[in-house]
Amino acid sequence: MTDEATRETADDARGWRAATEAALYGPGGFYRRPEGPAAHFRTSVHASRLFAGAVARLLCRVDEALGHPGALDFVDMGAGRGELVAGVLAALPADVAARTRACAVEVADRPPGLPDRITWLTELPRTVTGLLFANEWLDNVPVDVAEVDPAGAPRLVHVRRDGLELLGERVSGEDADWLARWWPLGGEPGLRAEIGLPRDRAWADAVACVREGLAVAVDYAHTAAGRPPFGTLTGFRAGRATLPVPDGSCDITAHVALDACAALDPGHGLPEALVCTQRDALRALGLTGARPSLALASTHPAAYVRALASAGEAAELTAAGGLGDFGWLLQPVGIANPLT
């Protein structure tokens, strides 16, 4: 490659955070496309209505902890096409549903057919008294990527629109401080990390909106005890993992350092956050995946078939090596943690 061609290649590249922001949320970006995320990947919300039912039970626990306020907020952060918020409303007891103010937060336009009572916003609401629930939102908050160069120094990875990567400047300032605390890379060339500081701040902003109640983030996650040595940045298109290419054609995602998010206090003097697996969280909310008794098959065959199907869906939501390994970060504000 000539010097001029090398310079043109470098000029066309930028950090992964800026490239992902444009590819996902800019004009014509992935999350603004009409087919919606469900056409490309499957979340717990799409796997079973049992997930929305469990979130509804969590909202009821928050309602009880708040003393059954006249207006109870449920905020679906990163709402996709509103599947979760609609499912939660449908699963609530009538008396709780009547007091619930439902809100979906999403950059895409409001989808047709969504119940009128659901408010559609592109930014966080100013205050929340109730439950803010962010299912697979933080993994799509764009982050920069660092890679150790041949000299043993972490450098920012730049990427072109076609996915070609180049090493850029050395990591410095707050990003370097974050890596040193949460994801130290060592000196072996090729080691990589996603710099999670923007996610810490996004989570702190979300929690700061909760005047009283609970904020929950659910996501692919890792903690300091098990950081992946080469990072987790990947793409999804049409139901399959693919190379992350920041051209708007695919989702771009990376697992979340939930322990770092949990440690960033947004200034409220909050009680300690809880990080657990989805398996443990859903079991605490009554979702076990236990198979129905065979005796039911002879006395009520139709009920047995329904119970068996429900058990299968619950098993998928709590499965080791699958959805059950998702991380749940729960931050109570002014109430005790309703899962403990």
Side-chain angles (χ1 to χ4, degrees):
M1 181 179 289
T2 66
D3 290 344
E4 182 178 354
T6 301
R7 186 166 55 252
E8 288 177 353
T9 297
D11 288 346
D12 187 38
R14 51 184 169 171
W16 267 108
R17 183 183 179 190
T20 301
E21 182 73 34
L24 296 185
Y25 307 116
F30 178 82
Y31 277 97
R32 297 185 184 274
R33 294 170 59 170
E35 71 269 22
H40 296 274
F41 54 85
R42 187 167 177 258
T43 72
S44 297
V45 179
H46 308 122
S48 173
R49 290 180 294 178
L50 295 176
F51 187 79
V55 176
R57 288 193 293 278
L58 180 59
L59 178 58
C60 289
R61 292 191 185 184
V62 172
D63 178 51
E64 182 176 1
L66 293 173
H68 311 292
L72 176 69
D73 292 317
F74 176 70
V75 178
D76 182 6
M77 189 68 201
R81 295 302 180 265
E83 299 95 336
L84 177 61
V85 63
V88 168
L89 282 176
L92 287 172
D95 63 315
V96 180
R99 293 182 288 106
T100 297
R101 298 183 300 197
C103 173
V105 182
E106 180 58 67
V107 297
D109 293 337
R110 182 188 182 96
L114 199 67
D116 291 340
R117 64 172 300 187
I118 297 174
T119 301
W120 194 265
L121 300 175
T122 57
E123 296 180 349
L124 283 161
R126 293 182 63 183
T127 62
V128 175
T129 300
L131 174 61
L132 183 148
F133 200 89
N135 185 61
E136 294 195 46
W137 167 58
L138 285 174
D139 69 306
N140 286 128
V141 173
V143 292
D144 276 315
V145 177
E147 181 176 321
V148 179
D149 69 11
R155 306 179 77 93
L156 289 177
V157 178
H158 289 192
V159 62
R160 298 194 326 185
R161 182 176 166 83
D162 63 5
L164 179 67
E165 292 185 334
L166 307 94
L167 288 185
E169 66 274 24
R170 287 196 176 193
V171 180
S172 62
E174 292 179 315
D175 287 344
D177 293 342
W178 190 94
L179 281 180
R181 179 179 180 187
W182 293 109
W183 200 332
L185 281 170
E188 182 180 342
L191 294 178
R192 287 169 67 118
E194 291 101 29
I195 303 171
L197 184 59
R199 292 171 172 177
D200 298 351
R201 290 174 170 164
W203 178 244
D205 288 344
V207 173
C209 294
V210 181
R211 183 173 61 186
E212 194 174 17
L214 179 70
V216 179
V218 180
D219 239 309
Y220 295 99
H222 47 66
T223 61
R227 303 282 191 230
F230 302 106
T232 61
L233 190 74
T234 190
F236 281 95
R237 183 189 297 114
R240 295 186 178 182
T242 185
L243 291 175
V245 178
D247 62 359
S249 69
C250 66
D251 186 25
I252 299 173
T253 180
H255 294 197
V256 182
L258 277 185
D259 50 347
C261 293
L264 193 64
D265 189 329
H268 293 310
L270 299 174
E272 185 176 356
L274 170 68
V275 178
C276 65
T277 65
Q278 175 158 296
R279 178 168 48 258
D280 290 340
L282 292 183
R283 286 176 177 171
L285 291 167
L287 205 62
T288 65
R291 293 171 64 91
S293 169
L294 284 175
L296 186 63
S298 57
T299 56
H300 298 285
Y304 175 78
V305 171
R306 290 193 298 270
L308 192 62
S310 179
E313 293 176 9
E316 181 182 5
L317 290 172
T318 58
L323 295 176
D325 289 344
F326 269 51
W328 279 47
L329 167 57
L330 300 99
Q331 179 62 72
V333 181
I335 65 171
N337 197 316
L339 284 193
T340 58

